[in-house]
Amino acid sequence: MSRTLFTSLAKVAALALLLASLAAPALAQPANVLIFGDSLTSGFDLPEAQGFPAQLKRRLLADGYNVVVWNGSNPGDTSADGYARINEALRYNPDLVLVEFGANDMLDHTDPRVTYRYLDAIIRICKARGARVILAGMLSLPKNGPNYIVGFNNIYPTLARSDHVPLYPFMLGGVYGYPALMQSDNEHPNALGTARMVAGIAPLIEANLSKIRIAAHKAH
């Protein structure tokens, strides 16, 4: 190989390496996913590796999504508690936030209009910070009576329409009411139930991560 040809090839290789290094940060930057809710998504009474955030992260990585998943869920929180700490949780600079509150509101028999207002405020704050939001729905227990059930269950589809966010209708869909998927308290998912939750909501999360990825490519 002549010295001239070798030099030319070296220059081409160096240029390709330079272009790759310039493009890599934009392509390799992981998306920050914030799980923001109560005990249903905090991994309550489960080893960390079996909790919802960890299982979701493994699923997303396995499906080819470069993500960091932050656990911003706190057992016992109501929508009011979530509102009180949303600004602190946003320190993770999330690209996507899964908002999951309402079970404790329902158990406390909180006025659905109050829950609506707090969830609406949380969603609006997240969107104002540039994050995409997915709203996880909850359903009332039958014991609360028909009037409360209608008011509470309507919170989530109404919010999703008014705030233009995607809705996962029931966070415990396919899990609640199945003893093999629930802990002994019959309120929280066990590891298998958590895996079922992840399987149910992952396609919606991935669809929104894909939109984030497309937007990032367009921006660069």
Side-chain angles (χ1 to χ4, degrees), residues 103-217:
N104 292 308
D105 297 61
M106 181 266 295
L107 294 174
D108 292 343
H109 218 265
T110 301
D111 186 331
R113 292 171 295 184
V114 173
T115 302
Y116 183 101
R117 286 198 296 269
Y118 281 123
L119 288 174
D120 178 55
I122 291 170
I123 292 168
R124 289 175 182 272
I125 291 169
C126 290
K127 292 178 71 174
R129 292 282 292 271
R132 295 186 70 89
V133 175
I134 293 174
L135 179 62
M138 181 50 53
L139 297 175
S140 174
L141 292 173
K143 68 179 182 180
N144 288 322
N147 290 336
Y148 188 88
I149 290 172
V150 170
F152 183 85
N153 292 358
N154 280 338
I155 291 172
Y156 299 92
T158 304
L159 260 180
R161 286 193 299 270
S162 64
D163 287 349
H164 306 289
V165 296
L167 172 67
Y168 186 68
F170 182 34
M171 194 65 205
L172 289 175
V175 178
Y176 187 79
Y178 295 87
L181 302 179
M182 300 293 288
Q183 297 183 32
S184 58
D185 62 7
N186 291 317
E187 292 183 355
H188 297 93
N190 59 23
L192 288 175
T194 299
R196 177 65 188 84
M197 289 166 60
V198 168
I201 201 170
L204 181 58
I205 291 175
E206 291 178 351
N208 281 270
L209 285 172
S210 293
K211 291 178 181 178
I212 290 170
R213 187 158 58 184
I214 290 170
H217 276 283

Side-chain angles (χ1 to χ4, degrees), residues 43-138:
F44 179 77
D45 265 3
L46 293 173
E48 184 177 352
Q50 295 180 9
F52 182 83
Q55 289 206 44
L56 177 64
K57 180 180 179 180
R58 288 197 296 272
R59 166 64 184 265
L60 297 177
L61 291 176
D63 288 348
Y65 291 88
N66 185 16
V67 295
V68 176
V69 177
W70 301 98
N71 185 357
S73 295
N74 190 46
D77 269 11
T78 63
S79 58
D81 296 321
Y83 173 72
R85 61 185 184 84
I86 180 59
N87 288 310
E88 177 189 357
L90 289 174
R91 71 185 186 276
Y92 296 116
N93 296 316
D95 300 289
L96 178 65
V97 182
L98 174 64
V99 175
E100 178 273 310
F101 290 100
N104 292 308
D105 297 61
M106 181 266 295
L107 294 174
D108 292 343
H109 218 265
T110 301
D111 186 331
R113 292 171 295 184
V114 173
T115 302
Y116 183 101
R117 286 198 296 269
Y118 281 123
L119 288 174
D120 178 55
I122 291 170
I123 292 168
R124 289 175 182 272
I125 291 169
C126 290
K127 292 178 71 174
R129 292 282 292 271
R132 295 186 70 89
V133 175
I134 293 174
L135 179 62
M138 181 50 53

